[in-house]
Amino acid sequence: MYEFKRLEHISPHLRRAVIAAEDQRFLSHNGFDFKEIKNALKTLIKTKKLRGASTISMQTARSVFLLSSKRFYRKIAEMYYTVLIELFWDKHRILEMYLNTVDWGTGKS
């Protein structure tokens, strides 16, 4: 059974590690990291390979409000919900929700 954890009860080392790995500019952007989006577009043009540029806020919007799908309209909905959570939740709450909803895998190798 899953138990929701308040951010204060999640290791500060884990919090820092997630921000470092997933979204280094999390505390300074408003949901969209335009530098990373620009880099992802450059990579797409140069290598024809698509790579992600989703922020913690965008991933939170996706995991909390949307079903898994690879459709274009889902990305539009993800952007909409990202704007909403950035308006109504502070970074503390966004990170707390992210850490409680992200898929950590099974723990098996």
Side-chain angles (χ1 to χ4, degrees), residues 29-30 38 42 47 74 78 87-88 94 96 99-100 105:
H29 64 64
N30 292 315
K38 182 179 171 184
K42 283 182 182 178
T47 67
R74 185 177 146 276
E78 179 183 317
L87 283 171
F88 294 106
I94 294 169
E96 179 178 73
L99 292 171
N100 275 283

Side-chain angles (χ1 to χ4, degrees), residues 5-11 15 92-93 95-96 99:
K5 300 282 186 192
R6 294 186 47 90
L7 193 60
E8 296 77 20
H9 297 129
I10 297 173
S11 166
R15 290 183 258 161
H92 179 276
R93 180 66 172 163
L95 185 59
E96 179 178 73
L99 292 171

Side-chain angles (χ1 to χ4, degrees), residues 3-4 6 24-25 27 31 33 35 38 41 45-46 61-64 70 76 83 89 95 98 103:
E3 183 179 329
F4 188 92
R6 294 186 47 90
Q24 297 85 18
R25 289 183 277 278
L27 297 174
D33 184 344
K35 283 185 180 180
K38 182 179 171 184
L41 288 172
I45 291 166
K46 187 175 182 180
R62 182 172 49 237
S63 65
V64 172
K70 297 284 184 182
I76 300 298
V83 169
W89 294 348
L95 185 59
Y98 175 83
D103 183 3

Side-chain angles (χ1 to χ4, degrees), residues 18-37:
V18 165
I19 291 171
E22 294 293 325
D23 185 1
Q24 297 85 18
R25 289 183 277 278
F26 173 66
L27 297 174
S28 62
H29 64 64
N30 292 315
F32 303 96
D33 184 344
F34 292 105
K35 283 185 180 180
E36 200 56 39
I37 292 168

